[in-house]
PDB file of all heavy atoms in Angstrom:
ATOM      1  N   SER W 349     153.955  96.495 197.239  1.00 98.00           N
ATOM      2  CA  SER W 349     152.973  97.217 196.448  1.00 98.00           C
ATOM      3  C   SER W 349     153.545  98.529 195.998  1.00 98.00           C
ATOM      4  O   SER W 349     154.277  99.178 196.778  1.00 98.00           O
ATOM      5  CB  SER W 349     151.664  97.434 197.298  1.00 98.00           C
ATOM      6  OG  SER W 349     151.013  96.231 197.574  1.00 98.00           O
ATOM      7  N   ASP W 350     153.088  99.024 194.804  1.00 98.00           N
ATOM      8  CA  ASP W 350     153.665 100.289 194.273  1.00 98.00           C
ATOM      9  C   ASP W 350     152.559 101.305 194.251  1.00 98.00           C
ATOM     10  O   ASP W 350     152.677 102.371 193.579  1.00 98.00           O
ATOM     11  CB  ASP W 350     154.091 100.046 192.833  1.00 98.00           C
ATOM     12  CG  ASP W 350     153.037  99.620 191.798  1.00 98.00           C
ATOM     13  OD1 ASP W 350     151.995 100.284 191.718  1.00 98.00           O
ATOM     14  OD2 ASP W 350     153.330  98.618 191.172  1.00 98.00           O
ATOM     15  N   PHE W 351     151.525 101.305 195.182  1.00 98.00           N
ATOM     16  CA  PHE W 351     150.525 102.352 195.205  1.00 98.00           C
ATOM     17  C   PHE W 351     151.053 103.606 195.598  1.00 98.00           C
ATOM     18  O   PHE W 351     150.357 104.718 195.435  1.00 98.00           O
ATOM     19  CB  PHE W 351     149.311 101.867 196.122  1.00 98.00           C
ATOM     20  CG  PHE W 351     149.774 101.649 197.631  1.00 98.00           C
ATOM     21  CD1 PHE W 351     150.042 102.663 198.474  1.00 98.00           C
ATOM     22  CD2 PHE W 351     149.917 100.348 198.013  1.00 98.00           C
ATOM     23  CE1 PHE W 351     150.444 102.441 199.728  1.00 98.00           C
ATOM     24  CE2 PHE W 351     150.339 100.009 199.312  1.00 98.00           C
ATOM     25  CZ  PHE W 351     150.545 101.158 200.178  1.00 98.00           C
ATOM     26  N   ILE W 352     152.244 103.743 196.130  1.00 97.00           N
ATOM     27  CA  ILE W 352     152.904 105.012 196.411  1.00 97.00           C
ATOM     28  C   ILE W 352     153.365 105.811 195.350  1.00 97.00           C
ATOM     29  O   ILE W 352     153.740 107.039 195.397  1.00 97.00           O
ATOM     30  CB  ILE W 352     154.020 104.741 197.509  1.00 97.00           C
ATOM     31  CG1 ILE W 352     154.581 105.969 198.208  1.00 97.00           C
ATOM     32  CG2 ILE W 352     155.228 104.093 196.727  1.00 97.00           C
ATOM     33  CD1 ILE W 352     153.640 106.546 199.224  1.00 97.00           C
ATOM     34  N   CYS W 353     153.420 105.274 194.074  1.00 97.00           N
ATOM     35  CA  CYS W 353     154.061 105.832 192.965  1.00 97.00           C
ATOM     36  C   CYS W 353     153.777 107.221 192.769  1.00 97.00           C
ATOM     37  O   CYS W 353     154.721 108.114 192.522  1.00 97.00           O
ATOM     38  CB  CYS W 353     153.591 104.968 191.717  1.00 97.00           C
ATOM     39  SG  CYS W 353     154.398 105.522 190.162  1.00 97.00           S
ATOM     40  N   GLY W 354     152.558 107.617 192.813  1.00 97.00           N
ATOM     41  CA  GLY W 354     152.164 109.108 192.507  1.00 97.00           C
ATOM     42  C   GLY W 354     152.691 110.107 193.337  1.00 97.00           C
ATOM     43  O   GLY W 354     153.023 111.319 193.013  1.00 97.00           O
ATOM     44  N   ALA W 355     153.061 109.679 194.584  1.00 97.00           N
ATOM     45  CA  ALA W 355     153.639 110.623 195.626  1.00 97.00           C
ATOM     46  C   ALA W 355     154.965 111.120 195.134  1.00 97.00           C
ATOM     47  O   ALA W 355     155.323 112.266 195.553  1.00 97.00           O
ATOM     48  CB  ALA W 355     153.698 109.889 196.989  1.00 97.00           C
ATOM     49  N   TYR W 356     155.704 110.361 194.409  1.00 96.00           N
ATOM     50  CA  TYR W 356     156.979 110.830 194.004  1.00 96.00           C
ATOM     51  C   TYR W 356     157.086 111.454 192.618  1.00 96.00           C
ATOM     52  O   TYR W 356     158.123 111.878 192.090  1.00 96.00           O
ATOM     53  CB  TYR W 356     158.007 109.616 193.931  1.00 96.00           C
ATOM     54  CG  TYR W 356     158.184 109.028 195.342  1.00 96.00           C
ATOM     55  CD1 TYR W 356     157.421 108.015 195.915  1.00 96.00           C
ATOM     56  CD2 TYR W 356     159.230 109.600 196.156  1.00 96.00           C
ATOM     57  CE1 TYR W 356     157.571 107.479 197.168  1.00 96.00           C
ATOM     58  CE2 TYR W 356     159.465 108.945 197.395  1.00 96.00           C
ATOM     59  CZ  TYR W 356     158.554 107.974 197.874  1.00 96.00           C
ATOM     60  OH  TYR W 356     158.792 107.471 199.183  1.00 96.00           O
ATOM     61  N   LEU W 357     155.865 111.427 191.928  1.00 96.00           N
ATOM     62  CA  LEU W 357     155.816 111.925 190.595  1.00 96.00           C
ATOM     63  C   LEU W 357     155.143 113.377 190.321  1.00 96.00           C
ATOM     64  O   LEU W 357     155.539 113.978 189.393  1.00 96.00           O
ATOM     65  CB  LEU W 357     155.152 110.965 189.656  1.00 96.00           C
ATOM     66  CG  LEU W 357     155.788 109.544 189.534  1.00 96.00           C
ATOM     67  CD1 LEU W 357     155.002 108.570 188.726  1.00 96.00           C
ATOM     68  CD2 LEU W 357     157.205 109.593 189.033  1.00 96.00           C
ATOM     69  N   HIS W 358     154.384 113.766 191.277  1.00 97.00           N
ATOM     70  CA  HIS W 358     153.601 114.989 191.203  1.00 97.00           C
ATOM     71  C   HIS W 358     154.458 116.112 191.814  1.00 97.00           C
ATOM     72  O   HIS W 358     155.233 115.962 192.812  1.00 97.00           O
ATOM     73  CB  HIS W 358     152.265 114.882 191.884  1.00 97.00           C
ATOM     74  CG  HIS W 358     151.304 114.123 191.171  1.00 97.00           C
ATOM     75  ND1 HIS W 358     151.209 112.598 191.451  1.00 97.00           N
ATOM     76  CD2 HIS W 358     150.400 114.339 190.155  1.00 97.00           C
ATOM     77  CE1 HIS W 358     150.214 112.218 190.599  1.00 97.00           C
ATOM     78  NE2 HIS W 358     149.752 113.141 189.905  1.00 97.00           N
ATOM     79  N   THR W 359     154.209 117.398 191.432  1.00 96.00           N
ATOM     80  CA  THR W 359     154.843 118.519 191.914  1.00 96.00           C
ATOM     81  C   THR W 359     154.269 118.830 193.320  1.00 96.00           C
ATOM     82  O   THR W 359     155.057 119.395 194.175  1.00 96.00           O
ATOM     83  CB  THR W 359     154.603 119.727 191.026  1.00 96.00           C
ATOM     84  OG1 THR W 359     153.280 120.065 190.890  1.00 96.00           O
ATOM     85  CG2 THR W 359     155.239 119.581 189.669  1.00 96.00           C
ATOM     86  N   HIS W 360     153.108 118.441 193.535  1.00 95.00           N
ATOM     87  CA  HIS W 360     152.457 118.686 194.832  1.00 95.00           C
ATOM     88  C   HIS W 360     151.267 117.841 195.073  1.00 95.00           C
ATOM     89  O   HIS W 360     150.847 117.136 194.117  1.00 95.00           O
ATOM     90  CB  HIS W 360     152.116 120.212 195.146  1.00 95.00           C
ATOM     91  CG  HIS W 360     150.985 120.622 194.215  1.00 95.00           C
ATOM     92  ND1 HIS W 360     151.211 121.081 192.973  1.00 95.00           N
ATOM     93  CD2 HIS W 360     149.642 120.698 194.287  1.00 95.00           C
ATOM     94  CE1 HIS W 360     150.099 121.501 192.347  1.00 95.00           C
ATOM     95  NE2 HIS W 360     149.070 121.195 193.140  1.00 95.00           N
ATOM     96  N   ASP W 361     150.751 117.824 196.279  1.00 96.00           N
ATOM     97  CA  ASP W 361     149.492 116.931 196.653  1.00 96.00           C
ATOM     98  C   ASP W 361     148.497 117.963 197.167  1.00 96.00           C
ATOM     99  O   ASP W 361     148.640 119.137 197.233  1.00 96.00           O
ATOM    100  CB  ASP W 361     149.911 115.964 197.778  1.00 96.00           C
ATOM    101  CG  ASP W 361     149.066 114.670 197.719  1.00 96.00           C
ATOM    102  OD1 ASP W 361     147.755 114.828 197.379  1.00 96.00           O
ATOM    103  OD2 ASP W 361     149.579 113.641 198.025  1.00 96.00           O
ATOM    104  N   ILE W 362     147.317 117.350 197.469  1.00 96.00           N
ATOM    105  CA  ILE W 362     146.267 118.244 197.994  1.00 96.00           C
ATOM    106  C   ILE W 362     146.080 117.978 199.531  1.00 96.00           C
ATOM    107  O   ILE W 362     145.122 118.448 200.146  1.00 96.00           O
ATOM    108  CB  ILE W 362     144.907 117.928 197.347  1.00 96.00           C
ATOM    109  CG1 ILE W 362     144.549 116.410 197.494  1.00 96.00           C
ATOM    110  CG2 ILE W 362     144.955 118.377 195.952  1.00 96.00           C
ATOM    111  CD1 ILE W 362     143.074 116.121 197.076  1.00 96.00           C
ATOM    112  N   LEU W 363     147.102 117.233 200.110  1.00 97.00           N
ATOM    113  CA  LEU W 363     147.000 117.032 201.608  1.00 97.00           C
ATOM    114  C   LEU W 363     147.864 118.077 202.323  1.00 97.00           C
ATOM    115  O   LEU W 363     148.751 118.659 201.849  1.00 97.00           O
ATOM    116  CB  LEU W 363     147.754 115.672 201.876  1.00 97.00           C
ATOM    117  CG  LEU W 363     147.087 114.356 201.231  1.00 97.00           C
ATOM    118  CD1 LEU W 363     147.842 113.148 201.719  1.00 97.00           C
ATOM    119  CD2 LEU W 363     145.561 114.350 201.415  1.00 97.00           C
ATOM    120  N   GLN W 364     147.443 118.247 203.613  1.00 95.00           N
ATOM    121  CA  GLN W 364     148.172 119.212 204.459  1.00 95.00           C
ATOM    122  C   GLN W 364     149.589 118.706 204.791  1.00 95.00           C
ATOM    123  O   GLN W 364     150.469 119.506 204.921  1.00 95.00           O
ATOM    124  CB  GLN W 364     147.416 119.485 205.613  1.00 95.00           C
ATOM    125  CG  GLN W 364     146.082 120.194 205.421  1.00 95.00           C
ATOM    126  CD  GLN W 364     145.356 120.755 206.709  1.00 95.00           C
ATOM    127  OE1 GLN W 364     145.950 120.718 207.709  1.00 95.00           O
ATOM    128  NE2 GLN W 364     144.079 120.946 206.635  1.00 95.00           N
ATOM    129  N   THR W 365     149.725 117.371 204.943  1.00 94.00           N
ATOM    130  CA  THR W 365     151.068 116.752 205.215  1.00 94.00           C
ATOM    131  C   THR W 365     151.364 115.752 204.169  1.00 94.00           C
ATOM    132  O   THR W 365     150.443 114.970 203.748  1.00 94.00           O
ATOM    133  CB  THR W 365     150.878 116.014 206.648  1.00 94.00           C
ATOM    134  OG1 THR W 365     150.495 116.936 207.592  1.00 94.00           O
ATOM    135  CG2 THR W 365     152.330 115.400 206.912  1.00 94.00           C
ATOM    136  N   PRO W 366     152.449 115.796 203.532  1.00 94.00           N
ATOM    137  CA  PRO W 366     152.819 114.868 202.473  1.00 94.00           C
ATOM    138  C   PRO W 366     152.734 113.527 202.882  1.00 94.00           C
ATOM    139  O   PRO W 366     153.134 113.028 203.934  1.00 94.00           O
ATOM    140  CB  PRO W 366     154.338 115.281 202.152  1.00 94.00           C
ATOM    141  CG  PRO W 366     154.506 116.669 202.641  1.00 94.00           C
ATOM    142  CD  PRO W 366     153.578 116.679 203.813  1.00 94.00           C
ATOM    143  N   ILE W 367     152.206 112.623 202.035  1.00 96.00           N
ATOM    144  CA  ILE W 367     152.036 111.209 202.229  1.00 96.00           C
ATOM    145  C   ILE W 367     153.323 110.457 202.396  1.00 96.00           C
ATOM    146  O   ILE W 367     153.491 109.506 203.068  1.00 96.00           O
ATOM    147  CB  ILE W 367     151.152 110.534 201.231  1.00 96.00           C
ATOM    148  CG1 ILE W 367     150.520 109.194 201.680  1.00 96.00           C
ATOM    149  CG2 ILE W 367     151.942 110.245 199.939  1.00 96.00           C
ATOM    150  CD1 ILE W 367     149.302 109.411 202.498  1.00 96.00           C
ATOM    151  N   GLN W 368     154.390 111.053 201.816  1.00 94.00           N
ATOM    152  CA  GLN W 368     155.754 110.543 201.982  1.00 94.00           C
ATOM    153  C   GLN W 368     156.249 110.454 203.398  1.00 94.00           C
ATOM    154  O   GLN W 368     157.122 109.701 203.825  1.00 94.00           O
ATOM    155  CB  GLN W 368     156.803 111.212 201.100  1.00 94.00           C
ATOM    156  CG  GLN W 368     156.594 111.163 199.633  1.00 94.00           C
ATOM    157  CD  GLN W 368     155.836 112.425 199.069  1.00 94.00           C
ATOM    158  OE1 GLN W 368     154.750 112.806 199.610  1.00 94.00           O
ATOM    159  NE2 GLN W 368     156.301 112.953 198.044  1.00 94.00           N
ATOM    160  N   ASP W 369     155.622 111.330 204.259  1.00 95.00           N
ATOM    161  CA  ASP W 369     155.947 111.321 205.679  1.00 95.00           C
ATOM    162  C   ASP W 369     155.628 110.014 206.287  1.00 95.00           C
ATOM    163  O   ASP W 369     156.094 109.621 207.442  1.00 95.00           O
ATOM    164  CB  ASP W 369     155.258 112.487 206.468  1.00 95.00           C
ATOM    165  CG  ASP W 369     155.972 113.873 206.201  1.00 95.00           C
ATOM    166  OD1 ASP W 369     156.883 113.890 205.301  1.00 95.00           O
ATOM    167  OD2 ASP W 369     155.473 114.753 206.701  1.00 95.00           O
ATOM    168  N   TRP W 370     154.707 109.168 205.675  1.00 96.00           N
ATOM    169  CA  TRP W 370     154.365 107.866 206.293  1.00 96.00           C
ATOM    170  C   TRP W 370     155.411 106.830 205.885  1.00 96.00           C
ATOM    171  O   TRP W 370     155.269 105.724 206.307  1.00 96.00           O
ATOM    172  CB  TRP W 370     152.979 107.411 205.726  1.00 96.00           C
ATOM    173  CG  TRP W 370     151.790 108.333 206.096  1.00 96.00           C
ATOM    174  CD1 TRP W 370     151.895 109.469 206.781  1.00 96.00           C
ATOM    175  CD2 TRP W 370     150.473 108.047 205.890  1.00 96.00           C
ATOM    176  NE1 TRP W 370     150.582 110.017 206.939  1.00 96.00           N
ATOM    177  CE2 TRP W 370     149.712 109.153 206.383  1.00 96.00           C
ATOM    178  CE3 TRP W 370     149.762 107.022 205.176  1.00 96.00           C
ATOM    179  CZ2 TRP W 370     148.262 109.122 206.338  1.00 96.00           C
ATOM    180  CZ3 TRP W 370     148.382 107.086 205.186  1.00 96.00           C
ATOM    181  CH2 TRP W 370     147.651 108.137 205.777  1.00 96.00           C
ATOM    182  N   VAL W 371     156.270 107.111 204.972  1.00 96.00           N
ATOM    183  CA  VAL W 371     157.187 106.140 204.408  1.00 96.00           C
ATOM    184  C   VAL W 371     158.558 106.202 205.151  1.00 96.00           C
ATOM    185  O   VAL W 371     159.158 107.230 205.312  1.00 96.00           O
ATOM    186  CB  VAL W 371     157.527 106.372 202.901  1.00 96.00           C
ATOM    187  CG1 VAL W 371     158.475 105.324 202.287  1.00 96.00           C
ATOM    188  CG2 VAL W 371     156.158 106.305 202.143  1.00 96.00           C
ATOM    189  N   LYS W 372     159.060 105.006 205.496  1.00 94.00           N
ATOM    190  CA  LYS W 372     160.403 104.867 206.140  1.00 94.00           C
ATOM    191  C   LYS W 372     161.003 103.548 205.707  1.00 94.00           C
ATOM    192  O   LYS W 372     160.388 102.489 205.838  1.00 94.00           O
ATOM    193  CB  LYS W 372     160.338 105.017 207.638  1.00 94.00           C
ATOM    194  CG  LYS W 372     161.663 104.885 208.306  1.00 94.00           C
ATOM    195  CD  LYS W 372     161.488 105.045 209.804  1.00 94.00           C
ATOM    196  CE  LYS W 372     162.885 104.970 210.521  1.00 94.00           C
ATOM    197  NZ  LYS W 372     162.799 105.012 211.979  1.00 94.00           N
ATOM    198  N   ASP W 373     162.167 103.571 205.134  1.00 93.00           N
ATOM    199  CA  ASP W 373     162.954 102.335 204.829  1.00 93.00           C
ATOM    200  C   ASP W 373     162.101 101.379 203.842  1.00 93.00           C
ATOM    201  O   ASP W 373     162.108 100.244 204.054  1.00 93.00           O
ATOM    202  CB  ASP W 373     163.405 101.545 206.088  1.00 93.00           C
ATOM    203  CG  ASP W 373     164.277 102.328 206.906  1.00 93.00           C
ATOM    204  OD1 ASP W 373     165.096 103.085 206.349  1.00 93.00           O
ATOM    205  OD2 ASP W 373     164.233 102.300 208.171  1.00 93.00           O
ATOM    206  N   GLY W 374     161.491 102.045 202.968  1.00 95.00           N
ATOM    207  CA  GLY W 374     160.734 101.264 201.916  1.00 95.00           C
ATOM    208  C   GLY W 374     159.416 100.693 202.415  1.00 95.00           C
ATOM    209  O   GLY W 374     158.879  99.823 201.749  1.00 95.00           O
TER     210      GLY W 374
END
Side-chain angles (χ1 to χ4, degrees):
S349 296
D350 62 53
F351 58 78
I352 194 69
C353 180
Y356 294 93
L357 298 177
H358 290 91
T359 58
H360 64 275
D361 206 327
I362 59 169
L363 303 185
Q364 293 187 19
T365 303
I367 203 80
Q368 294 96 315
D369 287 1
W370 295 7
V371 179
K372 182 179 180 182
D373 298 326

